[in-house]
Structure formats: C-alpha cells, structure tokens
Amino acid sequence: MSRALDRFHHVVSLVDAESPRGGDGPLAERLDRICRVAVRLLPADGAGITMTDRNAHPLGTAAASSPLFRRLEDIQFTLGEGPCVEASAARSPAIEEDVGRTGTRRWPAFAAAALEEGVNAAFAFPVHVGAARLGVLDLYRYRAGPLTPESLRDALCLARVCLTTMLQQSVHGPVGDAADGMGDAFPLSSEVYQAQGVVMVQLEVPLAEAMVRLRAHAYASGQPIIDVARGILDGRIVFTREDV
C-alpha cells in the first residue's frame, strides 16, 4: 500500500474516531467531524465546508468548526467572492498565505471581513470529481504564512474524505436534498433563490442583477443573506425602483 493511501486511511480513521455532536443528519454530522479533525490535524484555527452547485456557485454552509468560521463561510455566499468561490470555479486549491497583504487584491470585501475577525491566512480545497463540483473545504488561520507540504497533503486527504462522504450520501438521493440529512443548509439556499426571483420582479431586472442587489443589501445591512431572503419572502423587505 502506498504512503499516500496509508495517509488517507489514517485521516479517515481520525474522522471515524471523532465523537459525534449530533446534528441535522448523517451527512451534516460527518462533515462536522471533518471540520473538527481539520483543526486538530492541521495548523488551522478554523475550518468550514460549503456545498456548491454545478456552476461553482456556493449553495450554503454544510459544516464549520465554530460559529465564527461558519460566518466566514456564509459571507462568501453573500459576497460572491472568497477562497471558496475561487477554488470551486478553478477546480484547484486557492491558497492565500497573507490575507492582509495580497488577499485584499484577490477578494477585497471578503478579505476585509476576514481581517476584522483576525484571520490572516485562508486555504480552500475543492471537493470535486471530474467536472462535477460538490463543495469546498476551507481552512482559516490567524497567523499568516504557508502550509507545509505535509499539511497540504493532509488537507487534500480531508478534501477527499469530504468527496467520498458526499458521494456515499448521493447513493440515497441527490447531494443537497434536505431529506438526505443536510438539515437546514439547502432549504436555506432555496429560500435565497426564491427571494432572488421576487427581487427580479420587484425591480424588473435580470435574474443575475437581482442576486447582486440581494447580496448588496445583505452586506450593507450587516445581515446574513438568508435573513434578508426571509424578509423578502414574508414581505418585511421590499425592493423598489429607487433601490436600482
């Protein structure tokens, strides 16, 4: 057995041994374990896993090692930029060793949010097979600097564990189906897309522009995009032509 395969099985054993904390179903619970193992195994202070659609767009946060890092996952969906978005689109890791120095040029809005939380390095590893994009494993660190080659290998192993977990889940139904145990993540994202349609009608703008307006409102008001979407759907937030 090769050393790489040995290492992969070792990482799997660490995930298997991680104590369950409960959750919204087997897939979400397993991904939560992966995030906690990532923080222990790697020189990382936080981790998150975001699911993506076939066009590399974030769908929702599936798991995170803490609420702080869940917020950093969510804000990438809100802003439409960040290491997760870049890694998924390119189908290759997005490595940012110094958010304050070079990350501000790559992802200005995300970098500002990350730096506000004290995060100075971010590393994103796509979870994909062939052309199929399923998600991204994100790692965050307070200290700037690169990952060692060994840490990079372990991060790629964890991304592969994410992949096998998601593919096993898809045997029972499409990945992203709330009935398959993802809990709130995908019902939430469906509300965002419903709200996008409402904004499109209210402003009489193209669908893509409606999402830009929705994200901009969330960012300007300091609210998670799902809260804005729910406000739109229940009539508490109404976009008018003056908002264009």
Side-chain angles (χ1 to χ4, degrees):
M1 186 179 296
S2 70
R3 290 179 60 187
L5 193 55
D6 280 342
R7 191 61 184 170
F8 173 74
H9 286 305
H10 172 67
V11 172
V12 170
S13 71
L14 293 177
V15 175
D16 290 340
E18 187 71 21
S19 299
R21 294 195 303 195
D24 297 316
L27 178 55
E29 191 274 327
R30 178 83 173 172
L31 296 178
D32 176 77
R33 290 191 193 194
I34 292 170
C35 287
R36 284 182 281 140
V37 167
V39 173
R40 285 212 324 275
L41 179 65
L42 300 166
D45 297 293
I49 298 169
T50 288
M51 309 293 275
T52 59
D53 66 17
R54 67 186 63 186
N55 296 314
H57 300 138
L59 286 173
T61 303
S65 58
S66 76
L68 186 157
F69 296 105
R70 180 175 286 273
R71 286 197 299 274
L72 286 180
E73 292 291 291
D74 290 342
I75 201 169
Q76 295 186 69
F77 179 40
T78 301
L79 298 173
E81 69 168 43
C84 166
V85 179
E86 181 177 313
S88 182
R91 292 203 295 269
S92 64
I95 305 297
E96 182 48 69
E97 301 172 0
D98 193 334
V99 173
R101 185 171 62 87
T102 52
T104 53
R105 295 195 294 271
R106 295 173 78 173
W107 321 300
F110 171 78
L115 291 169
E116 186 174 342
E117 298 291 354
V119 171
N120 286 283
F123 312 91
F125 300 88
V127 178
H128 69 102
V129 54
R133 302 173 173 98
L134 301 180
V136 179
L137 168 66
D138 290 321
L139 304 175
Y140 303 96
R141 198 169 62 201
Y142 295 129
R143 177 176 56 83
L147 293 175
T148 65
E150 181 180 22
S151 294
L152 281 171
R153 286 193 295 269
D154 285 342
L156 291 168
C157 280
L158 281 167
R160 185 177 169 195
V161 176
C162 289
L163 175 63
T164 57
T165 298
M166 294 174 189
L167 290 178
Q168 287 169 0
Q169 184 68 27
S170 70
V171 170
H172 307 289
V175 172
D177 188 338
D180 290 335
M182 275 307 299
D184 287 339
F186 290 96
L188 297 189
S189 67
S190 70
E191 288 177 281
V192 172
Y193 289 115
Q194 290 174 43
Q196 178 188 17
V198 173
V199 173
M200 178 184 71
V201 173
Q202 289 176 347
L203 297 182
E204 299 179 354
V205 296
L207 197 58
E209 176 68 12
M211 180 59 78
V212 170
R213 296 295 175 183
L214 202 162
R215 284 174 167 159
H217 185 93
Y219 185 65
S221 62
Q223 300 178 74
I225 195 170
I226 184 57
D227 290 350
V228 174
R230 286 172 172 165
I232 292 168
L233 293 176
D234 65 21
R236 288 182 290 109
I237 298 174
V238 177
F239 284 68
T240 68
R241 295 292 298 172
E242 295 178 358
D243 296 310
V244 177

